Amino acid sequence: MPKKQKYYITTPIYYVNDKPHIGHAYTTVVGDVLARWKRQNGFDVFYLTGTDEHGSKVAAAAQAENKSPQKFCDEIAEIYKIKWQNLNISNDYFIRTTDKDHIERVKQIFSQLKNGQTPKGNDVIYKDNYQGLYCTGCEKFLTEKELVNGQCPDHNKKPEALKEKNYFFRLSDYKEIIREKIANDEFQILPVSRKNEALSLLDFVDDFSVSRESVAWGIELPFDQTQKSYVWVDALSNYITALGYPSDLKLFKKFWPVDVHLMAQDILKFHTIYWPAMLIALGLPLPKSEYIHGFFTIDGQKMGKSRGNVIDPDELVSKYGVDATRYLLLSQFSFGQEADIRVERFPEKYNADLANGLGNLVARVTTLIEKNKLKIIIKQGGDTKLKKEFDQKMSNYRFDEALKILWAELRKCDEIITNTQPWKITDHEELKKILAPIAQDLLNVADLLQPFMPQTAEKIIKILTADKIKKAQALFPRI
Ligand code: ME8
């Protein structure tokens, strides 16, 4: 048997200072759709997600609830896991940065960096005084230029003035290599607008601090007890520690380099600059690609606790069901774009595409087949023209268009039914000639729909491939 091709895909690991909302759900569903699509096409997939649990932001959130950081993290990490189950996320592993293995591995990574040399022959990390403005919300140092009215524009808060001894990563020695690898797509950043953004950012980045003196909730550096790992070094490392690096290389050898890191634009700098620099310093290959999607707003507003417009993915799941939620999230706008999620449009879209669209068609076709006791034999799978068109959209991360292709097929079936009025036909052979190709089309659509709507697709496939096709229950009750 030929060896299966591998596919390693990740989401960001989410901060546990807050509960998951549909922003997090969105990236995680996209990752799941890709993971399922690759598995369906015979790839050996490793789909990773998890939680980012160290740093001052999380410690402050724990304190606000009067809980120890660990207890607080345990609770929120559990909530993440449950919400991802409710969305039918098929991750192969869930990493937490407070996992013992991860902590040990981050320490080993630090030791390697401490002992390493840059391509220009300097120490990779060095200790120095740091003075700067730190925004706990961002978990990063800001420059004066980035402030608006003296405040962090993302968190509307004045950053803290910090002065402490830190270890620094000598990013300056890596900038040219990174620039080259981004420019020639050896390290591919998608979409192209984000690649250009990363390239221009490279001009403005300096050596960055990889440790903090004043932070208590973090991983202690193995060679300096006064220092904790900067939360981002700890967090980025998850993509390799989850595979066992550096202590257990079996999975790592199989799956690294990652095929795609998914994220939104808020964390572009860390992933397109700091992360490749760390990897080069460790002597490891860079990610094959990163896909950086836009931030979306909710009904025109940035999502935030204070605005009271944070949407819990469970709210959508209980209203529309899992598969419909996945569909509504991915069909509304093109992946990658900054966009506005119009929640008030969900019911209309649900009714049009799912209740009256897919659900109604399946019900009509199976009712007619059952009523006339037609024996229809159709086959699942195969390289249809539809599959080729669909796969091409999927390879280009055009999820909304991939879905549109399937829905166009459904509309064609609907039209044939409207035009031929099979309910008026009594001759079974004639009926079969109309309904068999429609049933086959429906089966082809259901097959391709699996990554997006796994449960619905399975139901449709089961109904259509049964010995005797029976009328289907309503797949999507009208709202
Ligand atoms: O940044 N629109 O975690 P985080 C689209 N722990 N995507 C959104 C979104 C929105 N409005 N809001 C959140 C961190 N996201 C770090 C990551 S990785 C080594 C460490 C999604 O909890 C999107 O994927 O702030 C974004 O990049 C991520 O959540 C940020 O999650």
Side-chain angles (χ1 to χ4, degrees):
M1 270 242 297
K3 217 172 115 201
K4 272 189 172 184
Q5 263 181 289
K6 69 91 187 170
Y7 185 73
Y8 178 30
I9 176 167
T10 68
T11 70
I13 49 170
Y14 305 111
Y15 284 129
V16 291
N17 64 305
D18 227 340
K19 297 197 179 85
H21 57 58
I22 61 168
H24 310 116
Y26 181 70
T27 317
T28 313
V29 170
V30 167
D32 192 60
V33 167
L34 285 166
R36 286 177 185 270
W37 175 60
K38 286 289 180 181
R39 284 192 203 106
Q40 194 184 5
N41 284 285
F43 284 70
D44 197 346
V45 172
F46 197 86
Y47 177 28
L48 178 69
T49 187
T51 40
D52 189 355
E53 306 187 3
H54 289 124
S56 18
K57 173 153 80 175
V58 171
Q63 200 178 20
E65 289 197 10
N66 247 326
K67 288 175 183 153
S68 75
Q70 188 62 61
K71 180 164 188 294
F72 176 80
C73 290
D74 290 347
E75 287 174 8
I76 308 275
E78 199 48 41
I79 293 176
Y80 266 95
K81 286 184 184 170
I82 291 170
K83 292 206 195 283
W84 293 167
Q85 274 167 21
N86 294 345
L87 276 170
N88 206 357
I89 302 300
S90 64
N91 54 302
D92 295 281
Y93 192 60
F94 188 101
I95 188 163
R96 299 182 51 190
T97 54
T98 54
D99 287 340
K100 246 177 73 200
D101 282 346
H102 172 78
I103 292 173
E104 272 320 300
R105 288 169 186 160
V106 168
K107 289 184 177 178
Q108 289 161 354
I109 287 170
F110 261 101
S111 301
Q112 288 184 29
L113 293 177
K114 181 78 170 58
N115 297 328
Q117 290 221 310
T118 72
K120 295 185 181 163
N122 294 310
D123 292 336
V124 177
I125 57 180
Y126 59 94
K127 205 170 186 181
D128 205 351
N129 286 313
Y130 199 91
Q131 203 167 347
L133 297 167
Y134 195 82
C135 171
T136 311
C138 301
E139 290 284 13
K140 71 177 182 196
F141 285 101
L142 300 176
T143 59
E144 292 279 358
K145 260 198 254 153
E146 288 173 301
L147 305 183
V148 177
N149 300 325
Q151 296 191 328
C152 161
D154 284 344
H155 295 93
N156 299 324
K157 256 171 70 182
K158 207 171 150 222
E160 263 178 276
L162 276 181
K163 194 175 168 191
E164 56 174 43
K165 271 204 179 330
N166 284 179
Y167 284 92
F168 281 82
F169 184 100
R170 208 178 301 274
L171 184 62
S172 37
D173 281 11
Y174 294 89
K175 279 162 69 161
E176 283 325 303
I177 311 180
I178 296 172
R179 184 187 305 284
E180 197 186 304
K181 291 191 192 265
I182 292 179
N184 69 17
D185 287 335
E186 190 183 325
F187 169 38
Q188 190 180 30
I189 296 172
L190 293 164
V192 173
S193 55
R194 300 294 175 198
K195 168 178 169 176
N196 295 333
E197 201 176 322
L199 286 171
S200 46
L201 249 182
L202 265 170
D203 294 330
F204 299 99
V205 289
D206 295 315
D207 292 0
F208 63 98
S209 146
V210 290
S211 71
R212 298 288 311 280
E213 195 171 45
S214 54
V215 170
W217 181 237
I219 301 177
E220 191 179 294
L221 299 201
F223 44 83
D224 189 337
Q225 289 180 352
T226 69
Q227 300 280 326
K228 298 285 185 337
S229 165
Y230 174 39
V231 60
W232 269 100
V233 174
D234 168 359
L236 289 163
S237 303
N238 96 86
Y239 299 131
I240 51 178
T241 63
L243 298 178
Y245 185 88
S247 52
D248 180 356
L249 296 181
K250 196 167 151 256
L251 276 178
F252 179 77
K253 280 191 177 141
K254 177 166 173 189
F255 286 106
W256 193 261
V258 68
D259 291 84
V260 58
H261 287 314
L262 297 174
M263 76 206 75
Q265 79 225 40
D266 53 336
I267 51 181
L268 175 143
K269 177 163 96 181
F270 297 98
H271 284 81
T272 59
I273 299 176
Y274 293 0
W275 180 225
M278 282 170 61
L279 288 166
I280 298 168
L282 293 168
L284 298 176
L286 298 196
K288 287 190 199 162
S289 74
E290 295 186 349
Y291 197 105
I292 300 170
H293 66 79
F295 237 55
F296 52 70
T297 47
I298 302 289
D299 298 322
Q301 298 234 304
K302 229 177 134 175
M303 227 184 319
K305 247 191 195 165
S306 50
R307 288 190 181 83
N309 62 351
V310 178
I311 299 175
D312 179 335
D314 280 348
E315 254 175 62
L316 298 176
V317 172
S318 55
K319 184 157 178 200
Y320 301 102
V322 199
D323 280 2
T325 299
R326 294 166 63 106
Y327 177 82
L328 291 170
L329 284 177
L330 291 201
S331 62
Q332 242 203 3
F333 50 80
S334 312
F335 182 60
Q337 310 286 304
E338 278 170 53
D340 191 36
I341 292 211
R342 307 289 292 273
V343 181
E344 86 272 4
R345 286 210 195 130
F346 278 7
E348 190 192 318
K349 187 138 180 80
Y350 170 93
N351 283 332
D353 294 2
L354 300 175
N356 303 334
L358 177 62
N360 189 43
L361 179 63
V362 173
R364 276 169 105 185
V365 173
T366 52
T367 306
L368 283 165
I369 296 176
E370 181 181 350
K371 206 171 121 205
N372 293 286
K373 300 200 179 69
L374 300 182
K375 179 109 187 94
I376 283 179
I377 297 166
I378 49 180
K379 261 201 353 239
Q380 197 187 345
D383 259 333
T384 57
K385 182 168 156 281
L386 188 68
K387 177 166 165 52
K388 282 204 189 94
E389 288 171 19
F390 175 87
D391 282 351
Q392 207 223 336
K393 295 293 184 193
M394 294 294 284
S395 315
N396 293 319
Y397 300 88
R398 298 271 73 96
F399 308 115
D400 58 327
E401 289 174 19
L403 287 168
K404 277 195 191 122
I405 289 179
L406 302 186
W407 258 257
E409 203 63 22
L410 297 177
R411 260 194 307 280
K412 266 193 243 160
C413 296
D414 265 330
E415 272 164 30
I416 296 174
I417 295 184
T418 309
N419 294 338
T420 53
Q421 309 195 325
W423 54 90
K424 291 188 180 161
I425 299 175
T426 46
D427 181 79
H428 278 188
E429 279 315 303
E430 203 182 322
L431 254 184
K432 225 168 142 172
K433 260 192 216 145
I434 298 170
L435 293 176
I438 292 181
Q440 180 66 63
D441 266 356
L442 257 181
L443 184 62
N444 295 345
V445 168
D447 213 17
L448 297 175
L449 198 56
Q450 285 186 76
F452 290 91
M453 306 176 91
Q455 293 177 354
T456 307
E458 198 189 305
K459 275 189 208 156
I460 300 174
I461 292 168
K462 217 166 145 193
I463 295 167
L464 294 175
T465 53
D467 284 342
K468 235 201 242 139
I469 295 180
K470 285 209 177 99
K471 177 177 180 267
Q473 300 292 316
L475 290 170
F476 303 99
R478 229 162 252 120
I479 286 181

